[in-house]
Amino acid sequence: MDGEGLPDWRHLTKLDPDRENSEEVVEAVCTSGTDCVVLGGTKGVTEDKASELYRRVSEYPVDVAVEPSDPSTVVDRGDPLLVPTVLNAGSPAWIVGMHKEWVRLTEVPWHRTYAEGYVVLNGESDVGQVTDARTDLTAEDVAAYAEVADRYLGLPVVYVEYSGTYGDPLVVEAAADAVDDARVFYGGGVDGFTRAREVASHADAVVVGNVVYEEGIDSYLDTVEGVLDAASPP
Amino acid sequence: MDGEGLPDWRHLTKLDPDRENSEEVVEAVCTSGTDCVVLGGTKGVTEDKASELYRRVSEYPVDVAVEPSDPSTVVDRGDPLLVPTVLNAGSPAWIVGMHKEWVRLTEVPWHRTYAEGYVVLNGESDVGQVTDARTDLTAEDVAAYAEVADRYLGLPVVYVEYSGTYGDPLVVEAAADAVDDARVFYGGGVDGFTRAREVASHADAVVVGNVVYEEGIDSYLDTVEGVLDAASPP
């Protein structure tokens, strides 16, 4: 998998079908200037909830991608599928096991499926708990996982995931320095302009999510500005 | 990793540095017409033993590749490195964990490193035991792993490994049918002409090893003939 066709997104917004997504939130996100709305969550996502949110988001002219958390919740309407493999998971199921089951269940649209090599760094987060992630990693460890994902596995995306907390920008930088072709996505604790700009200076793309629900729309819109600002010439 | 530069080997011979490799065996193997001599074993391989066997094999004009079983035994003399990931291992260490450690230890020559996505099917074998492989798999499971290796991970090689026993040709065929770009390697129980020809009709490459040590040189030479015969027009 070489990532051919993966759009050059810089700011992504993850909406969780299991949370309350008011009309105000959906409209603000879909018209914010974010490059892509990603539908995905770790817990409690049902196909009904995902389909309903998909329907609402797809009324707007913004890229949509689906990131299933397990094979039973893949809502496939023809958009890119971002499929995680958790490189530091405690169990093979989250690395390749569920993927094998998924392939058995369905005809996978490989031409628009993109593998994301996650390194999960907040063990207290839902994704950290569910995948039993081994999070006691140095920047060198994270860089080594990034290199394995990029050069050994050939994954198009390395995803540095601090879900729920803001990470160490030096870790993100180490991951970015370690890859050749893969894009580095960063997620976790981006709650406004400053952090968005900081992490966007190292990562290829910044993923925000909780800020929409927890900090409000103004803070969310600031993250879009922060990423744009990182890309501007000084 | 797209397998660029991986030679189009059809018959490979695995020599185990931990076994007794007489001068007669080394000469017979290296002049047999096998496409590549692979240095690798699962247990008891030390760098000294691997270096010694490397020195002897490299006196012959045959391709050599090194397949390390763990990061401490990589004997790197500039030849292709075949690096396994055991997709159905019981522990993440054998999927990506040791690879991360390897990348931390060394500067990996990625341009001549090729990932092999192993599916280990004999739980009683050394590799099955060491990796705690989950071997209760149907042909559809093996095909699904092959598809994940090929399309999701982009590995250049899918390795159907029956180490020590002869496998089900239908399983090999299912794996071969499931892949698009990856080459399918088969290993296990190929002890002469008939099996070599049978499995070579499905797999891209046949790997033999024990036959050299256990059946003798004539049977080994028959495996080379069997693979050649499968490639010939009927």
Side-chain angles (χ1 to χ4, degrees):
Chain A
M1 180 171 296
D2 56 10
E4 194 184 334
L6 181 66
D8 189 21
W9 297 315
R10 293 273 299 151
H11 183 283
L12 296 92
T13 307
K14 211 176 271 193
L15 290 182
D16 185 341
D18 192 43
R19 298 181 87 148
E20 193 191 321
N21 293 284
S22 68
E23 205 42 56
E24 185 191 14
V25 159
V26 171
E27 179 176 1
V29 165
C30 293
T31 61
S32 66
T34 190
D35 296 312
C36 180
V37 177
V38 181
L39 304 185
T42 302
K43 286 181 170 172
V45 179
T46 63
E47 189 168 349
D48 277 356
K49 290 177 188 172
S51 293
E52 165 67 11
L53 183 58
Y54 181 86
R55 187 190 58 71
R56 292 169 61 197
V57 168
S58 62
E59 289 174 10
Y60 295 89
V62 63
D63 282 3
V64 178
V66 172
E67 187 185 59
S69 56
D70 75 66
S72 66
T73 61
V74 179
V75 175
D76 187 4
R77 301 285 187 274
D79 301 289
L81 298 179
L82 305 177
V83 179
T85 171
V86 179
L87 300 172
N88 63 328
S91 152
W94 298 98
I95 308 176
V96 287
M98 288 192 183
H99 310 72
K100 186 264 282 181
E101 294 304 317
W102 182 42
V103 164
R104 286 210 52 179
L105 285 170
T106 188
E107 188 84 14
V108 175
W110 291 116
H111 64 286
R112 54 185 166 82
T113 296
Y114 302 98
E116 300 172 313
Y118 268 64
V119 185
V120 172
L121 292 158
N122 177 8
E124 305 300 313
S125 63
D126 281 354
V127 62
Q129 294 283 315
V130 166
T131 64
D132 189 22
R134 307 302 155 94
T135 57
D136 183 23
L137 301 174
T138 65
E140 290 73 26
D141 288 319
V142 175
Y145 271 125
E147 187 171 338
V148 167
D150 178 41
R151 304 301 300 269
Y152 180 70
L153 299 176
L155 308 185
V157 173
V158 172
Y159 198 125
V160 180
E161 172 63 289
Y162 279 94
S163 181
T165 54
Y166 185 59
D168 181 347
L170 294 179
V171 169
V172 185
E173 185 175 18
D177 287 348
V179 300
D180 197 6
D181 291 325
R183 295 188 213 166
V184 174
F185 284 23
Y186 171 86
V190 174
D191 59 2
F193 182 90
T194 306
R195 289 178 171 181
R197 183 175 57 180
E198 179 174 58
V199 79
S201 73
H202 301 301
D204 296 295
V206 178
V207 186
V208 304
N210 288 338
V211 60
V212 179
Y213 302 107
E214 291 167 11
E215 306 291 331
I217 288 169
D218 286 349
S219 297
Y220 165 71
L221 294 174
D222 286 346
T223 69
V224 178
E225 291 305 312
V227 170
L228 279 175
D229 196 69
S232 306
Chain B
M1 179 173 295
D2 56 10
E4 194 183 337
L6 181 64
D8 188 22
W9 298 312
R10 292 272 300 151
H11 183 282
L12 297 92
T13 307
K14 211 177 271 193
L15 290 182
D16 185 342
D18 192 43
R19 299 180 86 148
E20 192 191 323
N21 293 284
S22 68
E23 205 43 55
E24 186 191 15
V25 160
V26 170
E27 180 176 1
V29 166
C30 294
T31 60
S32 66
T34 190
D35 296 312
C36 179
V37 177
V38 181
L39 304 185
T42 303
K43 286 181 170 172
V45 179
T46 64
E47 188 167 349
D48 277 356
K49 290 180 190 170
S51 293
E52 165 66 11
L53 183 57
Y54 180 86
R55 188 189 58 69
R56 293 169 59 198
V57 169
S58 62
E59 290 174 10
Y60 295 89
V62 63
D63 281 4
V64 178
V66 173
E67 187 184 60
S69 57
D70 76 66
S72 67
T73 61
V74 179
V75 174
D76 188 5
R77 301 284 188 275
D79 300 290
L81 298 179
L82 306 177
V83 179
T85 170
V86 180
L87 300 173
N88 63 328
S91 151
W94 298 98
I95 309 176
V96 288
M98 289 192 182
H99 311 73
K100 186 263 285 181
E101 294 304 317
W102 182 41
V103 164
R104 285 209 52 178
L105 286 171
T106 187
E107 188 85 15
V108 176
W110 290 117
H111 64 287
R112 54 183 168 82
T113 295
Y114 302 97
E116 300 172 313
Y118 268 64
V119 184
V120 172
L121 291 158
N122 178 7
E124 305 301 312
S125 63
D126 282 353
V127 61
Q129 294 282 316
V130 165
T131 65
D132 190 21
R134 306 302 153 96
T135 57
D136 182 22
L137 300 175
T138 64
E140 291 73 26
D141 288 321
V142 175
Y145 271 126
E147 186 172 337
V148 167
D150 178 42
R151 304 300 300 270
Y152 181 70
L153 300 175
L155 307 185
V157 174
V158 172
Y159 198 125
V160 179
E161 171 64 288
Y162 279 93
S163 181
T165 54
Y166 185 58
D168 181 347
L170 294 179
V171 169
V172 185
E173 185 175 19
D177 287 347
V179 301
D180 198 7
D181 292 326
R183 294 189 212 164
V184 174
F185 285 22
Y186 172 86
V190 174
D191 59 2
F193 182 89
T194 306
R195 289 178 172 182
R197 183 175 57 179
E198 178 174 60
V199 79
S201 72
H202 302 302
D204 296 295
V206 177
V207 186
V208 304
N210 288 337
V211 62
V212 179
Y213 301 108
E214 292 167 11
E215 307 291 331
I217 287 170
D218 286 347
S219 298
Y220 165 72
L221 294 174
D222 286 343
T223 69
V224 178
E225 292 304 313
V227 170
L228 280 175
D229 195 69
S232 305

